Amino acid sequence: NTLAQDLLIPLGDTWSYLDTGVAPDTTWIDPGFDDSSWLTGTAELGYGDSQNTTVSFGANSANKHITTWFRRTFTAINTAEVSRLKLSVKRDDGVRVFLNGTEIARDNLTIGTVSATTKASNEVSFSEEEILLHYNVDPALLIEGENVIAAEIHQEEVDSADLSFDLKLSASRNLSAPSPTWSVTPVGGNVTPAGEFSATAPGTYTVTATSGA
């Protein structure tokens, strides 16, 4: 089979985001959640560096929001053909990512329960801020049609200098090879798509693949 690559969500894409510091409803990770009241902007999103979209940290720079939430809908078709799903995420500081309500990635956060006030385990700084983290994701989590990626970024401290978020999701799919067709001369010979030859009478036959082989 042939592998084809689909870029479902590119880096620098447009996201909906909530930067109030107040946790959304628990269904925010699900496809049916209404995020029409959220703001939108292109990634990289955050503050303190060279982001495309600046999100709010609140009114007090010494007491910034710990968590900011992000959502992105995308369309997937022929999902049964997808054999591999790869997530790449840029985060500063901690991150959790969900696909259609299922957690698919977590970094720099506690392994336990996470809330809007849960701080990242460590500060991400300097060259680490530019690193893309890569995860293999179960393709069975994809839904035919509309899907949702949801992510939350957590700061290490309330006076953190910067926040960054960007994400890419790509799929590899199996494409079945076309069935070959054959030309047989003279008349009386036949070749099946599997390449099995037969003839109605003994003789010399010339078999030529005309496509798909």
Side-chain angles (χ1 to χ4, degrees):
N1 288 346
T2 303
L3 282 179
Q5 302 294 323
D6 288 346
L7 186 57
L8 300 174
I9 301 176
L11 293 173
D13 210 355
T14 299
W15 291 77
S16 299
Y17 64 93
L18 181 68
D19 60 358
T20 62
V22 179
D25 186 87
T26 56
T27 60
W28 76 277
I29 61 177
D30 298 327
F33 178 79
D34 180 9
D35 61 8
S36 59
S37 64
W38 291 25
L39 300 174
T40 60
T42 56
E44 179 179 330
L45 300 106
Y47 57 78
D49 292 315
S50 55
Q51 289 83 11
N52 285 332
T53 299
T54 300
V55 305
S56 174
F57 53 69
N60 187 351
S61 62
N63 187 27
K64 298 175 181 177
H65 303 324
I66 289 296
T67 305
T68 307
W69 297 267
F70 305 87
R71 280 172 51 91
R72 172 73 170 86
T73 60
F74 65 96
T75 300
I77 60 174
N78 300 324
T79 56
E81 297 176 353
V82 176
S83 58
R84 183 184 180 191
L85 201 56
K86 183 178 179 180
L87 170 74
S88 302
V89 61
K90 181 178 182 180
R91 86 290 180 254
D92 181 3
D93 294 302
V95 66
R96 282 203 304 172
V97 183
F98 304 83
L99 174 57
N100 296 323
T102 298
E103 184 175 329
I104 57 174
R106 180 186 298 216
D107 180 71
N108 200 20
L109 284 170
T110 177
I111 60 174
T113 301
V114 173
S115 71
T117 58
T118 300
K119 295 179 180 180
S121 302
N122 298 286
E123 180 184 8
V124 175
S125 58
F126 304 110
S127 60
E128 292 182 355
E129 296 177 355
E130 302 303 318
I131 294 175
L132 283 175
L133 305 178
H134 302 290
Y135 299 87
N136 290 321
V137 181
D138 183 0
L141 295 175
L142 283 176
I143 299 171
E144 191 73 18
E146 186 174 286
N147 294 255
V148 169
I149 280 275
E152 56 187 78
I153 293 290
H154 293 249
Q155 295 289 57
E156 187 261 343
E157 270 301 339
V158 293
D159 60 353
S160 178
D162 52 11
L163 179 154
S164 297
F165 171 73
D166 203 350
L167 182 151
K168 178 173 73 172
L169 185 68
S170 57
S172 300
R173 60 178 70 244
N174 292 321
L175 300 179
S176 299
S179 299
T181 57
W182 308 89
S183 172
V184 183
T185 57
V187 175
N190 180 66
V191 180
T192 68
E196 298 175 349
F197 174 80
S198 62
T200 57
T204 300
Y205 295 86
T206 300
V207 178
T208 304
T210 57
S211 67

